[in-house]
Amino acid sequence: MTRTPKPQSASTDLPTAYTPAEVEAPLYQRWVDRGYFTADASSDKPPFTIVIPPPNVTGSLHIGHAFEHTLIDALIRRARMQGYETLWLPGMDHASIAVHALVERALAAQGTNRRDLGREAFVNRVWEWKAEHGGAILAQMRRLGDSVDWTRERFTMDEGMSRATATMFKKLYDDGLIYRAERLVNWSPDLRSVLSDAEVIHEEVEGELVSMRYGSLSDDEPHMVVATTRVETMLGDTAVAVHPEDERYASLVGTEIELPLTGRRIPIIADAHVDPAFGTGAVKVTPAHDPNDFEIGQRHGLPMLTVMDEQGRIADTGTQFDGMDRFTARAAVREELRKQGRIVAEKRPYLHSVGHSERSKEPIEPRLSLQWFVKVAPLAQAAGDAVRNGQVRISPPEMAPRYFQWTDNLHDWCISRQLWWGHRIPVWYGPNGDMVCVGPDEQPPSEADGWRQDEDVLDTWFSSGLWPFSTLGWPEQTDDLAKFYPTSVLVTGYDILFFWVVRMMMFGLYAMKDHPSGAEPFRTVALHGMVRDQFGKKMSKTRGNGVDPIEWMDRYGTDALRFTLARGANPGTDLPLGEDAVGGSRNFCNKLWNATRFALINGATVEGELPTDLTGADAWVVSRLNTVIAEVDALYADYEFAKISDLLYHFAWDEVCDWYLELAKVSLAPDAPAERSQTTRRVLGEVLDGLLRLLHPLIPFVTETLWTELTGGESVVIAPWPSSDPKRVDRAAELPIEDMQAVVLEVRRFRSDQGVKPSARIPARFTGLSGHEAEIRSLLRLTEPDDSFTPTASLTTSAGVTIALDLSTAVDVAAERARYQRDLATATKELDQTSKKLGNQGFLAKAPDDVVAGIRARSAAASADIERINAALEALPAG
């Protein structure tokens, strides 16, 4: 790394104020142009790899992206500085459903739709849309400072990824792990497609619960009452179920009962799933339109009647309701049952949970449909075992049980979607009922001979599940795959632990089992929480509490946003976020800026060896720096970003800026010994150099600007990560400074209590002070007493140091005495009130524990205030 020594002079090229907008974009482009982010697969350095959780091609940067990318970038930047060959691989997901919704909306505005357009023309239209509008988030990632390798950008529909997806399907199919079957699925009538669980949002809605009578209308003849929130589905009932031990219906089990409106009779069956204590203890069974009923139907071999078409219209029931929309039919069926006297009860509104399409917002319809599935049992077993045996680590570890809940209870995965944008299922059907799966290197059968390809495309999560290895070139054995797989860590939200993480684990362990470095897609899964508003509520458009990270970056600078997000990133825990916190982080960046300007103006340097015989504040701050480096490294091992940020914040602000820079002014004073001044300049450079490198992964822009100005180095991006030198950790050197700090803090409190302005210079004399008198006088603005010194107040600190002060010209004694008398009256009143309550046994017996504890705390505080105020009154000069 090239380093040009900074001249030792009392000047700097740094402006007086930091303006993020002027430096961020040029700095980022310089980093890209110099190739700092480009990985080298031929390097001898050990690899450190992270693949980006691919954002949707339709998306723009939201606060959740900013949060996650900040954490990933911090890990990558630190690893780069540690000497790893780093690869952060960027890319986007093709987002089948989201893209369909956008493009079909545009087509509707033109008076057409995808079916009028045709499949090929529609797909071409989507590619045109992607070229014009897709990928806005990539430019926003640059704005955030993401140090991704742009030369390796991938898209889940690019040629290589499409080849990988087809290869995986073929491999699973040949191994008997993909099959086609009729199963109950989440169906979107609007899209006319299956939806994954990830695309279904469950919401509490006010519906209705209707109880209706099956069988005879005569009380003397067999009949049963069942209840439902979806009356229209009764047209597809194929049984009524009761609990096997419910004696009320024991005589009816095995018989049949009339199903109203249909002309059919259905059996009464016994199944342990039924709760005999709920309602009448009898439930209608509609196997083709309810998940629980489907399971009952399979156990009892019931017919599975699909009574709705792809658009959610009643179909094939042979009733007057055929052709009606499901919601229209709901009302019509209910009214027809009412006419027959079969409505027993209606509860309205009835609050219950209903799944809705995330995109179209419509209620999804459980529907029996012929689909493609992955047989997940052996894949999920391997994914669970990899964590149990320590092959893959989940951080924080308390999230592991949630992971096992998914892997140990996973149902077969429906992977087909009735859409046109996506990876088309590579299966062909012949004229004689033949079926063949075709790999990417195989010739598909001829359409001229009557063969046709499956119309469906694969679930987006299928190709996303291949992301850690397909992006590195699989199925080809590329240099990237050999060097950078397995990836080092996956940083992602706990909310997609199942939808993405488990799938990547299943596919990676399955497809990469022969990889020499291991089959697991990542060594560690580092889970973070969700960003919420400052009150802890989920951000949403309907609540109007969402934030645009770009706006905050414009207002406060990128580093301020990043530092705020990192400072709230406790593993697996949600982050409440408010704008005030971002403003506070901007102030922190400004603090660093001003501290570095001060150091440069006073000749701080990084040149030359750091002396080994440091003393006083110089030895203290170097010891603290090396301690902090070791603590930061330990916290990074557990992905404790919040603790890292907080540690560095307080070290920078409290110890370096508030203490060391102030103490350094004594050593840098014109009358200070030259050798001492030079040592302090070198220590200033050492401490700021280390601090800026420690902070760089979190706040890259301001640290780059300051570090290059301080050191003359090429870039902090490629500077070595600081290492802790145990020989520099000197607890014995820290103790005297801590004693000095205690004296200063106690005297400051005393001055404040006496009403002395911080700027006032006070004559003072010390007794029992062991050292650092010059520094203490400088920090406290205490002047040397002259021959006329007459102390009017004194203070003995907890360390036994006595300070006599002349406050005669610094305090309006009468005004201060009056102020203290008012404060004393208030504290005395508070003590009286709390003492009465605490002395009331009746109150103590009835009041909650937390209320009593609060009153005790108030009483103790009042007592402490009275003691403090009386001491201050005694210390006031006579007059």
Side-chain angles (χ1 to χ4, degrees):
M1 182 176 67
T2 304
R3 172 175 283 175
T4 304
K6 296 296 296 182
Q8 212 172 296
S9 61
S11 65
T12 176
D13 294 332
L14 285 178
T16 56
Y18 176 48
T19 309
E22 294 179 1
V23 302
E24 290 177 355
L27 272 185
Y28 189 85
Q29 193 57 49
R30 185 192 310 165
W31 294 333
V32 173
D33 293 343
R34 290 180 177 178
Y36 294 156
F37 306 157
T38 303
D40 180 3
S42 65
S43 168
D44 292 332
K45 298 178 182 178
F48 186 91
T49 316
I50 298 180
V51 290
I52 198 170
N56 287 350
V57 65
T58 60
S60 58
L61 188 77
H62 59 61
I63 197 66
H65 290 130
F67 180 44
E68 185 166 87
H69 289 206
T70 293
L71 306 185
I72 297 175
D73 196 42
L75 295 176
I76 282 288
R77 286 179 180 271
R78 175 173 178 263
R80 187 180 293 117
M81 296 172 75
Q82 288 178 303
Y84 289 93
E85 190 61 40
T86 57
L87 170 59
W88 183 10
L89 196 149
M92 295 183 296
D93 189 274
H94 62 280
S96 290
I97 290 180
V99 170
H100 260 268
L102 282 171
V103 177
E104 291 199 68
R105 197 176 303 134
L107 291 175
Q110 299 169 9
T112 186
N113 59 63
R114 65 172 163 127
R115 288 174 176 78
D116 291 341
L117 206 60
R119 184 173 195 135
E120 184 176 354
F122 176 80
V123 171
N124 288 337
R125 184 71 65 91
V126 174
W127 279 110
E128 291 171 5
W129 177 91
K130 177 187 179 292
E132 184 176 353
H133 303 289
I137 194 172
L138 299 179
Q140 294 166 336
M141 287 165 56
R142 292 173 177 263
R143 178 70 190 279
L144 191 64
D146 288 2
S147 58
V148 299
D149 185 347
W150 292 110
T151 68
R152 286 174 165 86
E153 181 187 333
R154 301 305 299 268
F155 177 53
T156 50
M157 285 285 286
D158 67 30
E159 184 177 352
M161 295 286 287
S162 295
R163 175 178 172 79
T165 302
T167 300
M168 177 59 87
F169 187 98
K170 171 69 171 172
K171 182 175 174 61
L172 289 165
Y173 182 90
D174 289 347
D175 287 348
L177 294 174
I178 281 183
Y179 64 93
R180 195 179 189 218
E182 275 198 321
R183 294 286 185 274
L184 209 67
V185 296
N186 299 316
W187 187 263
S188 166
D190 187 47
L191 289 169
R192 301 189 208 178
S193 174
V194 177
L195 298 181
S196 72
D197 289 340
E199 293 147 347
V200 175
I201 299 173
H202 289 271
E203 299 175 351
E204 292 290 316
V205 300
E206 291 185 351
E208 61 182 13
L209 182 67
V210 178
S211 297
M212 50 195 177
R213 180 169 177 148
Y214 287 6
S216 174
L217 290 172
S218 171
D219 292 343
D220 297 330
E221 297 178 2
H223 63 275
M224 306 185 83
V225 174
V226 297
T228 180
T229 58
R230 298 154 65 218
V231 178
E232 71 282 3
T233 62
M234 60 86 59
L235 300 172
D237 286 1
T238 56
V240 172
V242 297
H243 193 274
E245 298 177 2
D246 193 335
E247 295 181 358
R248 292 173 296 175
Y249 303 111
S251 62
L252 295 178
V253 173
T255 66
E256 291 185 341
I257 197 169
E258 177 192 354
L259 179 66
L261 310 182
T262 65
R264 292 190 288 115
R265 294 183 66 80
I266 56 177
I268 299 171
I269 61 175
D271 193 278
H273 170 76
V274 179
D275 179 2
F278 181 78
T280 64
V283 298
K284 60 190 288 297
V285 182
T286 320
H289 292 279
D290 182 273
N292 294 322
D293 293 1
F294 177 77
E295 299 291 336
I296 294 174
Q298 284 194 313
R299 286 195 290 271
H300 295 271
L302 298 175
M304 300 198 180
L305 304 181
T306 299
V307 295
M308 291 184 205
D309 64 14
E310 294 180 349
Q311 294 176 265
R313 298 175 302 198
I314 304 300
D316 301 323
T317 67
T319 69
Q320 67 203 63
F321 310 107
D322 282 357
M324 289 185 183
D325 172 80
R326 54 183 168 154
F327 301 115
T328 303
R330 182 171 301 171
V333 169
R334 183 182 63 241
E335 292 311 306
E336 188 60 31
L337 290 169
R338 192 189 312 282
K339 287 180 184 178
Q340 294 187 10
R342 293 185 177 274
I343 300 298
V344 176
E346 295 174 86
K347 185 175 183 180
R348 194 181 296 112
Y350 179 70
L351 195 66
H352 64 125
S353 179
V354 175
H356 289 72
S357 166
E358 183 181 30
R359 297 294 169 185
S360 64
K361 310 305 179 187
E362 62 174 333
I364 62 101
E365 188 64 42
R367 183 173 182 269
L368 191 66
S369 181
L370 183 63
Q371 303 290 338
W372 286 96
F373 293 85
V374 173
K375 189 182 297 182
V376 300
L379 305 175
Q381 176 72 42
D385 290 347
V387 174
R388 286 190 172 95
N389 65 26
Q391 190 177 352
V392 176
R393 168 193 170 205
I394 290 183
S395 177
E398 54 266 27
M399 284 287 181
R402 184 180 298 190
Y403 174 84
F404 295 134
Q405 284 177 358
W406 287 114
T407 59
D408 297 352
N409 300 285
L410 205 55
H411 296 291
D412 285 357
W413 170 20
C414 178
I415 55 172
S416 47
R417 298 291 180 270
Q418 291 63 54
L419 304 171
W420 290 349
W421 170 245
H423 299 102
R424 194 166 176 181
I425 290 176
V427 171
W428 271 256
Y429 305 100
N432 300 317
D434 298 331
M435 182 172 70
V436 61
C437 180
V438 180
D441 297 321
E442 299 173 347
Q443 186 68 30
S446 171
E447 291 185 4
D449 294 333
W451 288 81
R452 62 178 181 82
Q453 186 177 358
D454 195 298
E455 294 287 332
D456 293 350
V457 299
L458 287 166
D459 178 12
T460 300
W461 295 102
F462 189 95
S463 52
S464 296
L466 314 179
W467 189 254
F469 51 95
S470 61
T471 53
L472 298 174
W474 186 88
E476 310 305 325
Q477 299 305 306
T478 64
D479 291 341
D480 276 3
L481 192 64
K483 177 73 174 179
F484 297 112
Y485 190 90
T487 67
S488 305
V489 58
L490 174 73
V491 180
T492 191
Y494 63 70
D495 56 317
I496 56 172
L497 184 59
F498 163 61
F499 299 115
W500 192 41
V501 178
V502 171
R503 284 163 167 76
M504 286 189 290
M505 286 284 284
M506 291 194 303
F507 280 176
L509 293 166
Y510 169 74
M512 301 298 294
K513 54 191 171 187
D514 295 327
H515 192 276
S517 299
E520 65 277 10
F522 19 76
R523 311 285 192 193
T524 299
V525 180
L527 296 169
H528 60 74
M530 312 293 291
V531 181
R532 298 183 178 273
D533 72 10
Q534 60 187 322
F535 305 108
K537 295 187 180 297
K538 184 178 180 180
M539 291 185 179
S540 67
K541 291 181 180 178
T542 54
R543 284 195 178 100
N545 62 347
V547 297
D548 182 352
I550 300 297
E551 288 184 7
W552 281 2
M553 286 189 277
D554 287 341
R555 195 172 303 150
Y556 301 104
T558 296
D559 288 328
L561 175 64
R562 286 175 59 122
F563 195 69
T564 303
L565 294 169
R567 204 171 177 195
N570 292 295
T573 304
D574 290 346
L575 160 65
L577 180 65
E579 188 169 358
D580 288 348
V582 188
S585 294
R586 176 195 56 192
N587 295 342
F588 176 66
C589 293
N590 290 339
K591 190 81 168 179
L592 291 173
W593 186 272
N594 293 333
T596 307
R597 283 193 84 252
F598 167 84
L600 289 168
I601 289 171
N602 284 277
T605 180
V606 297
E607 298 304 317
E609 291 296 322
L610 188 69
T612 57
D613 56 347
L614 297 175
T615 60
D618 294 333
W620 165 75
V621 77
V622 169
S623 178
R624 288 294 303 133
L625 172 65
N626 282 275
T627 299
V628 167
I629 291 170
E631 290 175 353
V632 166
D633 284 338
L635 291 169
Y636 263 114
D638 290 324
Y639 307 96
E640 294 279 6
F641 295 99
K643 292 181 180 178
I644 292 165
S645 304
D646 207 50
L647 174 63
L648 291 174
Y649 176 92
H650 287 292
F651 176 64
W653 194 299
D654 300 345
E655 298 185 77
V656 174
C657 296
D658 284 359
W659 284 106
Y660 183 68
L661 294 189
E662 294 302 316
L663 293 169
K665 291 176 182 177
V666 178
S667 300
L668 297 172
D671 57 348
E675 184 177 353
R676 181 180 177 187
S677 297
Q678 182 57 28
T679 296
T680 295
R681 291 188 182 96
R682 180 65 187 86
V683 171
L684 262 178
E686 181 78 10
V687 171
L688 286 173
D689 174 19
L691 176 59
L692 292 171
R693 282 187 282 154
L694 286 170
L695 282 165
H696 173 71
L698 302 171
I699 46 175
F701 294 106
V702 69
T703 52
E704 172 81 334
T705 305
L706 296 176
W707 187 87
T708 52
E709 183 69 16
L710 174 72
T711 67
E714 178 182 329
S715 173
V716 72
V717 173
I718 53 174
W721 179 252
S723 58
S724 179
D725 182 355
K727 295 178 182 178
R728 291 286 186 183
V729 178
D730 186 354
R731 185 64 185 145
E734 293 178 20
L735 290 173
I737 301 300
E738 291 175 4
D739 290 342
M740 181 208 69
Q741 290 172 327
V743 170
V744 170
L745 291 173
E746 288 186 57
V747 175
R748 282 177 176 167
R749 171 71 181 270
F750 180 79
R751 286 176 56 130
S752 175
D753 284 347
Q754 299 300 318
V756 179
K757 293 180 180 179
S759 59
R761 293 190 175 276
I762 308 295
R765 178 178 293 147
F766 293 93
T767 304
L769 189 63
S770 59
H772 301 292
E773 182 173 340
E775 289 88 346
I776 292 174
R777 287 188 180 278
S778 175
L779 291 167
L780 292 171
R781 296 179 177 270
L782 300 178
T783 62
E784 293 280 0
D786 57 20
D787 294 339
S788 64
F789 177 70
T790 303
T792 61
S794 68
L795 165 72
T796 300
T797 71
S798 57
V801 177
T802 299
I803 306 99
L805 306 103
D806 179 5
L807 304 179
S808 59
T809 61
V811 177
D812 183 337
V813 176
E816 284 302 301
R817 191 177 302 278
R819 179 173 69 85
Y820 279 128
Q821 293 292 355
R822 290 194 299 272
D823 291 346
L824 182 62
T826 300
T828 302
K829 182 179 180 181
E830 172 74 352
L831 181 61
D832 289 344
Q833 290 177 341
T834 54
S835 297
K836 287 179 181 178
K837 286 188 176 181
L838 294 174
N840 185 335
Q841 294 304 314
F843 169 79
L844 293 177
K846 295 179 181 179
D849 291 345
D850 58 335
V851 172
V852 173
I855 293 174
R856 291 190 192 280
R858 285 169 50 196
S859 181
S863 295
D865 284 344
I866 290 171
E867 183 178 352
R868 176 182 58 81
I869 295 167
N870 281 328
L873 282 168
E874 290 177 11
L876 282 175

